């Protein structure tokens, strides 16, 4: 083909060749061309095999590629359609959503419009038929409608529909306005004519018109008026009560109680109404305004109380005499008789008891109302603390705090004066260990502290407990100590003469009155001892009294009361010191001087004796029987006059004195074996006797003497070693080795070398 | 029961609003209470501290300054080991009231009582109405110790109470006064230790 083409190409040229040379050169050229083409073909033919193989393998791949390509195409198609589908679906959902909400708001709007129309019609007919509840119901429904949306609907709807809605709104606005004015007027009227059913009727309508606060305010005005009129009655009744009436002494406490009961009843009756129609959590608002009226009325009662009971003058007089006594110039004439205070004090505490009771009631009520609405956190805290503030700062609380403040001063005065009177009128009755003042004083203390506790005020109770502690620990203790300071007169003692002297009301003044002075001293010892016991008893009974106070007030009040109660008995050791002091006085002047001569008889009784003398002693006791008799006589002077505990203390002192003196006497005497035996017998009799006269154990006091007797009864000096050191067994030696040697040397028959040789 | 060697009663007195409650709360709880309301009657707090290795328990009575609580407050004077008389350095009135407070102290407190004068609220420097020298010389003329404090900034508050505790402890140790509660405390603790062994 190439040739053909070239021939074609050259054809014209070749045909046009005229010169041989030209033809020849063309031939050469063509030949050359032919040669190169041939070469080319050869080359291509050489490649042919290789290409063939390649082609074969490509041919084999062909079908595979076909698969892949179709698969890929399929996949792409699928993805494409899926995405399209998804796109379709989601947009449809969106559309649906939109459609749905549009439908809903349309329905809502339709409903609203329907309601609006319904309300509009309803409110008018309801108003016409004076069915205010129904009218308010409609207004309430209307107030829950979203007016903005309705206005929007109004614009959308164009003129026809729009103007009708507009008209409805106008009607409702007007109706709302009218109804509000109407129920306000009606409620005010009902309140001023105390038309209870109408008050309640219109009160219930206010929350429907979103006028909660106003409703509550008006309602509380109504309730306040009730409080006022009741209170006026109570006060009138109070002022007409005859002074002989059983309740005359607590008239004002009664009046206050009635007031509180009224307020309580009002709250009790109306709380359900408020809760039902106004919801929970509204009680505080109501009570805050009721409390204002309660405050005013309570003040009136308290004012009357202060005026009629001459409260201010009495409390000033007490204040005055308190400062006066500190300047030591109390004038008997313008001093208030404590008996004049007794009734007044009782009424004071009753006033406060009632107040505390009432305030607790209010707290309980409001707190549970606050708990019911399930607010939490700061809002609730705020409500609770404003309740706290109201209870703490209300005029009633403040006024009662003032009354109680004055009460405490007067009660302390009453207590102190009455106690001092009991001291000054103290009498000793035959047969009684204590004098009249102990029972009297503790009766007074109990009465006053119980009265203070009954006030229901923890601080008041604590204050009187403090005053009681002070009175006991300083004033009363001083009285007792003062009586013992003079000491126990020495000399003989005729009890019956003492009684007759004291009963004539004469205080022991001269030396001849020592009998009376002695009796008084012993009675005072008993007074001290019994007072310690009574203080414990007083505290115990007050702990019980205070238990209710703690349960009402809780927390800190318990700690405070505990502190003040404990204070009552922390000073008993001061009384014990006084008792010890008195007993030692008694010991010094009545026991010690009389014991020595009794025991000294021992010195004139020989303990270096023969068998004959020993058996003679058996028949005619030379010492111990007489000693016992004398001791008994001495103790008998006191036995009946002392409390058993004081008597035991006296026996103990006497025993100590006897042992001291007897030890001295023994160490001044000499013994033989039989004399030692005699001494042992004497000692046993003495211990035996003293053991029978006291509850306390006295054996221990005789330990040293008993050990001396043991030594004086030894057969040989060395026998002591059977009892000494590692052989002492349960015996604890109270004698030093030197004393042992000294006692051994009292035995005339023991050789001093033997004693010296002892290894102790 | 806690173990402690000594127990002392400290009573704070002074006009309403001078900062007694704030001082006590700063010392016992380490805080300055916001919106502290007036005290009603008497409050009390306990704080145990250590003095020379020994536990000292302070029973702190925080009294109300308002007049109508005066008779309640007075009942605590007698058993007080220490009285802290507080005034407010920004209130001349509270300073002027000091003599009448001292008259009460004289009338009701035990002669053994330690009393300390405290001028509080020194953080309010620009409102000061009573300068330090006046406080000091009043204290000197009534042989009391004097200290200026700020409950708000915690200035000198610990020192106030610690000084009191140290002085009271030393007094007992030196036997200058025989402390009433001392023996009871010893008794109490022994009874406790025996009951714990059982
Ligand atoms: N700037 C300042 N204010 C203080 C300080 N101490 C107390 N206050 C403020 O003074 C006011 C009265 O403090 P209280 O501690 O309640 O006073 P009080 O002496 O206990 O008062 P009564 O209980 O009524 O006797 C409160 O508003 C306190 O915040 C103080 O150191 N600095
Ligand atoms: Mg305070």
């Amino acid at each position: 083909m190439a040739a053909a083409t070239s021939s074609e190409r050259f054809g014209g040229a070749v045909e046009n060749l005229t010169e041989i040379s030209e033809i020849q050169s063309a031939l050469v050229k063509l030949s050359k061309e032919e040669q190169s083409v041939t070469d080319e073909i050869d080359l291509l033919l050489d490649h042919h095999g290789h290409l063939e193989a390649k082609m074969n393998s490509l041919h084999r791949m062909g079908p595979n590629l076909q698969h892949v390509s179709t698969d890929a195409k399929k996949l792409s198609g699928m993805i494409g359609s899926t995405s399209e589908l998804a796109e379709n679906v989601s947009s449809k959902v969106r559309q649906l959503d939109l459609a749905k909400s549009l439908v809903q708001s349309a329905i809502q709007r339709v409903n609203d419009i329907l309601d609006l129309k319904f309300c509009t019609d309803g409110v008018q007919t309801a108003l016409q038929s004076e069915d205010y509840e129904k009218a308010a119901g409609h207004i309430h429904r209307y107030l829950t409608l979203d007016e903005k949306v309705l206005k929007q609907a109004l614009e959308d709807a164009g003129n026809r529909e729009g103007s009708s809605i507009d008209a409805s709104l106008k009607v409702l606005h007007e109706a709302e306005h009218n109804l509000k004015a109407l129920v306000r007027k009606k409620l005010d009227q009902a309140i001023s004519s105390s038309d209870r059913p109408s008050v309640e009727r219109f009160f219930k309508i206010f929350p429907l018109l979103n006028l909660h606060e106003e409703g509550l305010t008006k309602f509380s005005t109504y309730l306040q008026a009730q409080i006022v009129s009741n209170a006026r009655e109570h006060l009138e009744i109070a002022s007409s009560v005859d002074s002989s009436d059983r309740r005359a002494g607590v008239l004002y406490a009664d009046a206050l109680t009635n007031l509180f009961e009224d307020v309580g009843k009002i709250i009790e009756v109306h709380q359900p109404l408020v809760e039902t129609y106004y919801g929970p959590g509204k009680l505080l608002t109501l009570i805050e305004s009721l409390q204002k009226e309660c405050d005013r009325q309570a003040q009136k009662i308290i004012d009357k109380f202060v005026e009629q009971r001459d409260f201010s003058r009495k409390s000033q007089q007490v204040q005055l005499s308190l400062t006066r006594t500190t300047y030591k110039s109390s004038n008997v004439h313008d001093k208030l008789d404590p008996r004049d205070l007794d009734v007044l004090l009782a009424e004071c505490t009753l006033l406060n008891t009632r107040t505390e009771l009432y305030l607790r009631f209010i707290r309980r009520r409001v707190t549970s109302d606050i708990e019911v609405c399930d607010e939490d956190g700061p809002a609730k805290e705020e409500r609770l603390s404003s309740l706290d503030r109201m209870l703490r700062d209300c005029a009633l609380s403040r006024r009662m705090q003032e009354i109680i403040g004055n009460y405490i001063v007067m009660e302390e005065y009453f207590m102190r004066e009455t106690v001092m009177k009991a001291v000054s009128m103290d009498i000793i009755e035959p047969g009684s260990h204590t004098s009249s003042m102990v029972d009297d004083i503790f009766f007074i203390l109990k009465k006053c502290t119980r009265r203070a506790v009954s006030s229901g005020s923890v601080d008041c109770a604590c204050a009187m407990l403090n005053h009681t502690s002070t009175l006991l620990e300083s004033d009363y203790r001083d009285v007792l100590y003062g009586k013992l300071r003079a000491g126990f007169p020495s000399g003989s003692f005729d009890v019956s003469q003492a009684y007759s002297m004291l009963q004539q009301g004469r205080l022991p003044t001269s030396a001849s009155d020592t009998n009376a002075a002695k009796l008084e001293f012993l009675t005072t010892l008993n007074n001290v001892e019994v007072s310690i016991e009574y203080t414990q008893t007083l505290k115990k009974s007050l702990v019980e009294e205070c238990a209710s106070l703690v349960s009402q007030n809780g927390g800190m009040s318990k700690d405070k009361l505990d502190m003040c109660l404990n204070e009552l008995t922390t000073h008993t050791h001061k009384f014990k010191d006084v008792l010890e002091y008195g007993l030692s006085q008694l010991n010094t002047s009545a026991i010690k001087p009389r014991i020595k001569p009794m025991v000294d008889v021992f010195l004139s009784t020989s303990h270096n004796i023969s068998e004959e003398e020993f058996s003679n002693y058996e028949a005619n006791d030379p010492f111990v029987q007489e000693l016992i008799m004398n001791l008994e006589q001495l103790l008998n002077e006191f036995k009946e006059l002392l409390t058993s505990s004081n008597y035991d203390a006296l026996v103990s002192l006497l025993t100590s004195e006897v042992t001291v003196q007897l030890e001295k006497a023994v160490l001044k005497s000499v013994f033989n074996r039989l004399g030692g035996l005699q001494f042992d017998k004497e000692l046993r009799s003495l211990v035996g006797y003293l053991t029978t006269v006291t509850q306390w154990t006295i054996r221990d006091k005789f330990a040293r003497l008993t050990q001396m007797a043991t030594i004086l009864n030894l057969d040989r000096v060395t026998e002591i070693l059977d009892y000494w050191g590692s052989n002492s067994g349960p015996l604890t030696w109270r004698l030093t080795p030197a004393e042992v040697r000294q006692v051994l040397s009292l035995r005339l028959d023991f050789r001093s070398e033997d004693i010296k040789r002892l290894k102790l | 029961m806690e173990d402690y060697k000594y127990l002392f009663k400290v009573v704070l007195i002074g006009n309403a609003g001078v900062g007694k409650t704030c001082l006590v709360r700063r010392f016992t709880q380490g805080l300055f209470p916001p919106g502290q309301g007036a005290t009603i009657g008497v409050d009390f707090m306990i704080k145990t501290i250590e003095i020379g290795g020994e536990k000292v328990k302070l029973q702190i009575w925080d009294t109300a300054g308002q007049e109508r609580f005066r008779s309640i407050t007075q009942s605590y004077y007698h058993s007080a080991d220490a009285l802290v008389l507080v005034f407010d350095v920004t209130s001349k009135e509270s300073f002027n009231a000091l003599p009448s407070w001292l008259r009460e102290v004289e009338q009701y407190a035990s002669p053994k009582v330690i009393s300390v004068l405290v001028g509080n609220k020194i953080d309010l420097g620009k409102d000061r109405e009573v300068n330090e020298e006046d406080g000091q010389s009043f204290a000197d003329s009534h042989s009391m110790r004097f200290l200026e404090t700020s409950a708000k900034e915690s200035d000198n508050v610990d020192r106030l109470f610690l000084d009191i505790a140290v002085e009271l402890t030393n007094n007992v140790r030196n036997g200058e006064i025989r402390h009433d509660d001392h023996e009871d405390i010893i008794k109490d603790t022994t009874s406790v230790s025996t009951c714990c062994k059982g």
Side-chain angles (χ1 to χ4, degrees), chain B residues 14-23 32-40 62-66 86 88 120-124 149-154:
Chain B
N15 273 16
V18 296
K20 299 179 291 295
T21 303
C22 290
L23 285 168
F32 183 72
Q36 179 59 46
T39 304
I40 303 291
D62 168 27
T63 67
Q66 286 173 331
V86 188
D88 172 356
N120 188 37
K121 305 197 190 177
I122 49 168
D123 55 288
L124 300 173
T149 60
S150 164
K152 190 172 178 199
E153 304 296 330
S154 197

Side-chain angles (χ1 to χ4, degrees), chain A residues 558-619:
Chain A
K558 176 171 167 42
D559 295 341
K560 261 164 42 173
L561 282 165
D562 280 352
M563 291 293 158
C564 298
L565 283 166
N566 285 335
E567 192 71 23
L568 279 175
T569 46
T570 48
H571 298 293
T572 44
H573 70 82
K574 289 196 175 175
F575 280 76
K576 289 189 180 135
D577 290 347
V578 171
L579 186 59
E580 227 164 84
Y581 169 82
L583 285 166
S584 76
Q585 290 273 333
L586 183 62
N587 191 26
T588 313
S589 62
I591 306 295
K592 276 190 180 174
R594 287 165 73 185
I595 297 296
K596 190 166 164 22
M598 290 179 202
V599 175
D600 280 353
V601 177
F602 187 86
L603 294 172
S604 52
T605 312
S606 172
H607 283 78
N608 180 16
I609 47 175
S610 63
E611 289 272 3
E612 194 183 342
E613 283 168 312
F614 181 75
S615 47
N616 214 359
Y617 278 174
E618 190 115 33

Side-chain angles (χ1 to χ4, degrees), chain A residues 497-498 500-510 512-513 516 520:
Chain A
Q497 204 204 319
S500 74
M501 168 143 266
L502 285 169
Q503 267 168 353
Q504 286 159 26
R506 278 197 278 146
L507 290 175
T509 48
S510 66
S512 60
D513 297 339
E520 216 188 353

Side-chain angles (χ1 to χ4, degrees), chain A residues 332-453:
Chain A
V332 188
H333 295 298
D334 54 311
K335 224 171 151 182
L336 202 61
D337 186 340
R339 277 172 304 185
D340 287 352
L341 290 175
D342 206 11
V343 177
L344 177 63
L345 292 174
E347 195 173 24
C348 281
T349 54
L350 199 56
L351 284 171
N352 199 65
T353 317
R354 301 304 192 200
T355 306
E356 299 266 346
L357 198 67
Y358 163 75
L359 292 174
R360 269 204 305 281
F361 165 81
I362 299 288
R363 180 184 294 280
R364 239 188 358 257
R365 277 296 161 116
V366 176
T367 308
S368 63
D369 183 56
I370 291 172
E371 302 283 345
V372 169
C373 32
D374 27 46
E375 286 174 325
D376 250 331
K380 185 172 166 186
E381 287 302 310
E382 176 49 37
R383 276 163 184 274
L384 287 172
S385 74
S386 63
L387 168 65
D388 266 345
R389 261 197 309 280
M390 178 190 86
L391 295 176
R392 198 185 55 208
D393 297 338
C394 67
L396 172 64
S397 291
R398 286 167 173 269
R399 195 67 200 276
M400 279 319 301
Q401 284 160 358
E402 269 169 35
I403 297 283
I404 284 298
N406 284 309
Y407 157 79
I408 291 168
V409 179
M410 288 193 272
E411 184 74 277
E412 197 224 346
Y413 175 81
F414 175 83
M415 182 167 85
R416 184 175 295 273
E417 290 293 314
T418 329
V419 162
M420 287 310 158
K421 198 163 167 198
V423 171
S424 70
M425 300 196 358
D426 193 27
I427 50 163
I428 300 172
E429 303 257 21
S432 167
H433 285 145
T434 55
S435 63
S436 64
M437 75 170 180
V438 182
D439 283 348
D440 289 353
I441 286 171
F442 280 89
F443 176 81
I444 296 160
L445 295 181
K446 187 167 178 181
K447 172 180 173 159
C448 295
T449 43
R450 282 181 66 170
R451 185 154 60 195
V453 172

Side-chain angles (χ1 to χ4, degrees), chain A residues 326 392 398 401 405 408-409 459 462-463 466-467 470 473 556 559-560 563 567 570-571 573-574 577, chain B residues 9 40-44 46 59 61 68-69 71-72 75-76 78-79 107-108 178 180-181 183-184:
Chain A
T326 57
R392 198 185 55 208
R398 286 167 173 269
Q401 284 160 358
I408 291 168
V409 179
D459 279 316
C462 286
N466 291 342
H467 284 312
T470 305
E473 175 247 342
M556 154 108 76
D559 295 341
K560 261 164 42 173
M563 291 293 158
E567 192 71 23
T570 48
H571 298 293
H573 70 82
K574 289 196 175 175
D577 290 347
Chain B
K9 273 190 171 184
I40 303 291
V42 175
D43 281 345
F44 113 105
I46 292 262
Q59 208 184 76
W61 295 87
R68 65 181 185 285
F69 299 112
S71 67
I72 290 171
S75 75
Y76 288 87
H78 180 79
S79 60
Q107 188 175 346
Y108 298 102
R178 200 181 128 196
D180 297 331
D181 301 314
E183 290 170 334
D184 302 86

Side-chain angles (χ1 to χ4, degrees), chain A residues 155-380:
Chain A
E155 274 164 29
D156 293 349
N159 275 349
R160 206 172 38 85
E161 240 341 80
S163 64
S164 122
I165 294 173
D166 202 19
S168 294
L169 281 175
K170 229 177 238 154
V171 169
L172 280 168
H173 261 304
E174 216 165 280
E176 181 196 353
H177 187 75
N178 290 341
L179 188 58
K180 278 182 177 171
L182 196 77
V183 293
R184 279 186 185 120
K185 204 176 90 197
K186 290 274 182 192
L187 184 55
D188 286 343
Q189 272 172 3
I191 288 172
S192 65
S193 62
S194 322
D195 176 358
R196 185 194 175 88
S198 303
V199 170
E200 289 188 6
R201 180 179 172 198
F202 292 104
F203 173 61
K204 289 175 194 166
I205 293 175
F206 275 72
L208 295 175
L209 304 175
N210 280 355
L211 296 173
H212 296 81
E213 291 298 313
E214 196 181 335
L216 283 172
T217 313
K218 284 190 187 297
F219 193 53
S220 55
T221 321
Y222 164 68
L223 298 179
Q224 281 178 343
Q226 280 190 9
I227 296 175
V228 174
S229 74
N230 288 349
R232 200 175 297 133
E233 265 171 52
H234 295 322
L235 210 55
E236 269 165 26
I237 293 170
S239 42
S240 68
V241 166
D242 195 81
S243 63
S244 64
D245 192 283
R246 201 170 48 83
R247 306 291 299 174
V250 287
L251 247 164
Y252 298 99
D254 280 352
L256 199 62
T257 311
N258 289 333
L259 169 67
F260 294 152
E261 276 173 0
D262 281 342
V263 178
K265 226 178 283 162
I266 284 171
I267 290 166
E268 214 136 62
V269 169
H270 297 95
Q271 186 183 5
L273 197 70
V274 173
E275 207 174 306
T276 313
Y277 294 94
Y278 285 67
K282 294 285 190 283
L283 197 59
L284 183 58
T285 320
L286 185 73
I287 286 183
E288 268 170 346
S289 58
L290 290 189
Q291 187 52 42
K292 289 212 182 76
E293 192 54 52
C294 178
D295 281 345
R296 276 189 289 272
Q297 297 308 318
Q299 296 254 57
K300 273 189 193 163
I301 295 170
I302 297 169
D303 284 344
K304 202 88 180 158
F305 159 81
V306 167
E307 178 198 315
Q308 295 291 312
R309 305 293 197 209
D310 215 1
F311 187 77
S312 308
R313 188 187 59 83
K314 284 178 183 164
S315 102
Q316 269 164 19
Q317 215 172 335
V318 166
Q319 295 271 14
L320 219 67
S321 58
L322 280 179
T323 42
R324 241 191 240 137
T325 43
T326 57
Y327 295 116
K328 301 277 178 233
S329 68
S330 75
N331 187 337
V332 188
H333 295 298
D334 54 311
K335 224 171 151 182
L336 202 61
D337 186 340
R339 277 172 304 185
D340 287 352
L341 290 175
D342 206 11
V343 177
L344 177 63
L345 292 174
E347 195 173 24
C348 281
T349 54
L350 199 56
L351 284 171
N352 199 65
T353 317
R354 301 304 192 200
T355 306
E356 299 266 346
L357 198 67
Y358 163 75
L359 292 174
R360 269 204 305 281
F361 165 81
I362 299 288
R363 180 184 294 280
R364 239 188 358 257
R365 277 296 161 116
V366 176
T367 308
S368 63
D369 183 56
I370 291 172
E371 302 283 345
V372 169
C373 32
D374 27 46
E375 286 174 325
D376 250 331
K380 185 172 166 186

